[in-house]
């Protein structure tokens, strides 16, 4: 197996507090926009439920009754 990394120092850079705050707000916005992606073990199941609901809505033009 080949090593594709060059020998020498690895240059890293830490985020500034302003960048960290902007990143935190961006992640929070993503969590609000796509909540099923961030729910852990049930994420795929919730996403499928959402897709099924959207498909039903597009075909019938109305939402299913809540349980």
């Amino acid at each position: 197996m080949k090593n594709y990394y060059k020998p020498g120092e690895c240059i890293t850079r830490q985020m500034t507090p302003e960048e960290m705050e902007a990143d935190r707000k961006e992640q929070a916005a993503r969590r609000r926009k796509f909540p099923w992606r961030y729910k852990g073990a049930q994420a795929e199941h919730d996403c499928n439920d959402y897709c099924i609901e959207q498909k039903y809505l597009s075909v019938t033009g109305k939402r299913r009754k809540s349980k």
Side-chain angles (χ1 to χ4, degrees), residues 27-45:
Q27 287 180 1
R30 269 189 253 128
R31 286 178 190 274
R32 283 192 300 276
K33 189 172 181 180
F34 308 110
W36 60 88
R37 292 182 182 170
Y38 299 93
K39 284 193 175 180
Q42 297 296 321
E44 187 175 321
H45 184 263

Side-chain angles (χ1 to χ4, degrees), residues 13-66:
R13 185 182 78 80
Q14 289 198 337
M15 295 170 72
T16 63
E18 294 82 20
E19 290 174 326
M20 288 175 70
E21 183 64 22
D23 187 56
R24 186 190 64 75
K25 288 181 180 178
E26 186 178 318
Q27 287 180 1
R30 269 189 253 128
R31 286 178 190 274
R32 283 192 300 276
K33 189 172 181 180
F34 308 110
W36 60 88
R37 292 182 182 170
Y38 299 93
K39 284 193 175 180
Q42 297 296 321
E44 187 175 321
H45 184 263
D46 291 343
C47 182
N48 288 340
D49 287 349
Y50 176 80
C51 293
I52 290 168
E53 181 64 30
Q54 292 302 312
K55 186 175 180 182
Y56 181 83
L57 179 64
S58 69
V59 170
T60 62
K62 55 187 172 185
R63 293 197 180 276
R64 296 178 193 212
K65 293 181 179 177
S66 298

